[in-house]
Amino acid sequence: MSTFLLEIVTPEHKVFEDQVNMITVKGVEGELGILAGHIPMVTPLQVGPMKIKTGSKEHWLAVHGGFVEVRRDKVVVLAESAELPEEIDIERAKAAKARAEQRLAMAQRSKQDHVDFRRAELSLQRAVTRIQVSQRNVSR
């Protein structure tokens, strides 16, 4: 199976760089699978887990927004933030999930402004993504 160079970069550092067979990311239009030879493109990313396949191995990362740029021989993920499973504090993620759910419930009851509601939704998405990525690492 063909490979391509994958780079995952955040404003702070390069998270990942290696030859891979396939990646799956959550784009704004839905899930997107990228193989070697994919048509060049740029698309925004949503908060979600990212799967990287290298040979028979799967790796997971929590990606929190950004863009994916597919070039002829390379894919670059420019993420707002990205975390490897071993970097995730699962207890902190669970506490953040509970806080976000609480804020969403309060916002719905009190009809708070849309910005606070959206902020709570994004916090919940990030926490759920961290939990998913962390658990996928544990179960493998």
Side-chain angles (χ1 to χ4, degrees), residues 31-48:
E31 200 166 88
L32 175 65
I34 300 170
L35 295 165
H38 194 285
I39 187 167
M41 61 176 257
V42 175
T43 190
L45 295 176
Q46 291 186 3
V47 173

Side-chain angles (χ1 to χ4, degrees), residues 63-75:
V63 175
H64 307 291
F67 291 87
V68 62
E69 178 186 12
V70 180
R71 301 179 191 168
R72 198 173 58 99
D73 58 344
K74 174 178 174 177
V75 174

Side-chain angles (χ1 to χ4, degrees), residues 1-63:
M1 183 181 256
S2 298
T3 64
F4 58 91
L5 180 62
L6 171 64
E7 289 182 4
I8 302 171
V9 182
T10 68
E12 291 81 33
H13 67 290
K14 189 178 289 190
V15 176
F16 183 92
E17 181 178 27
D18 204 355
Q19 292 289 321
V20 301
N21 298 106
M22 177 182 180
I23 65 168
T24 305
V25 294
K26 188 174 180 183
V28 293
E29 298 292 323
E31 200 166 88
L32 175 65
I34 300 170
L35 295 165
H38 194 285
I39 187 167
M41 61 176 257
V42 175
T43 190
L45 295 176
Q46 291 186 3
V47 173
M50 176 180 179
K51 179 170 72 171
I52 302 169
K53 287 192 76 168
T54 306
S56 62
K57 295 181 183 174
E58 287 183 357
H59 306 280
W60 292 89
L61 281 88
V63 175

Side-chain angles (χ1 to χ4, degrees), residues 51 58 63 67 80 82 87 97 113 123:
K51 179 170 72 171
E58 287 183 357
V63 175
F67 291 87
E80 292 172 23
E87 297 171 340
K97 179 179 181 274
D113 76 51
S123 293

Side-chain angles (χ1 to χ4, degrees), residues 39 94 124:
I39 187 167
K94 287 178 180 178
L124 180 60

